[in-house]
Amino acid sequence: QVQLVESGGGLVQAGGSLRLSCAASGRTFSRFDMGWFRQAPGKEREFVAGHRWRSGNTYYADSVKGRFTISRDNAKNTVYLQMNSLKPEDTAVYYCAARSPDVSINYDYWGQGTQVTVSS
């Protein structure tokens, strides 16, 4: 099992920045692909950013490309999402997720979420 706890959400004005953190515990964090997702009120959960542990490659939703950056610190068992140039449409609950690519193509582990609110 992997336990994930997000932090760093809050209220910020449009154009501002936030950094979300996701602390992982349990199994070998460094061998997990990590992802960030978000869900806005009345909308389905959507992918935001991902990091593949084998290649180190990162990938992003088009809506956040160039503004958000995913990174990880395996020594701290933590993945981050740096969010810059925030827009009101980025308002959502942000979730951290993990998957073991040797076992599943799905993200099987999820945090409880952290609220990000961007005011105009």
Side-chain angles (χ1 to χ4, degrees), residues 13-73:
Q13 288 188 334
S17 298
L18 281 175
R19 188 177 79 157
L20 305 183
S21 299
C22 173
S25 61
R27 298 178 64 185
T28 309
F29 170 78
S30 62
R31 294 181 178 268
F32 278 74
D33 292 347
M34 301 299 298
W36 286 96
F37 294 75
R38 67 187 181 187
Q39 187 167 19
K43 295 187 176 181
E44 294 187 354
R45 186 168 56 194
E46 64 176 356
F47 168 80
V48 174
H51 181 281
R52 294 186 172 138
W53 76 269
R54 277 198 180 95
S55 62
N57 289 343
T58 57
Y59 47 110
Y60 300 90
D62 288 342
S63 59
V64 306
K65 206 171 290 183
R67 299 188 298 122
F68 290 11
T69 303
I70 186 172
S71 62
R72 68 195 293 167
D73 184 337

Side-chain angles (χ1 to χ4, degrees), residues 50-103:
H51 181 281
R52 294 186 172 138
W53 76 269
R54 277 198 180 95
S55 62
N57 289 343
T58 57
Y59 47 110
Y60 300 90
D62 288 342
S63 59
V64 306
K65 206 171 290 183
R67 299 188 298 122
F68 290 11
T69 303
I70 186 172
S71 62
R72 68 195 293 167
D73 184 337
N74 289 335
K76 296 183 178 179
N77 280 11
T78 301
V79 63
Y80 304 97
L81 184 67
Q82 178 67 44
M83 306 186 294
N84 298 328
S85 302
L86 282 161
K87 304 175 181 180
E89 51 264 43
D90 294 319
T91 295
V93 177
Y94 283 71
Y95 298 91
C96 172
R99 71 179 179 193
S100 175
D102 294 334
V103 176

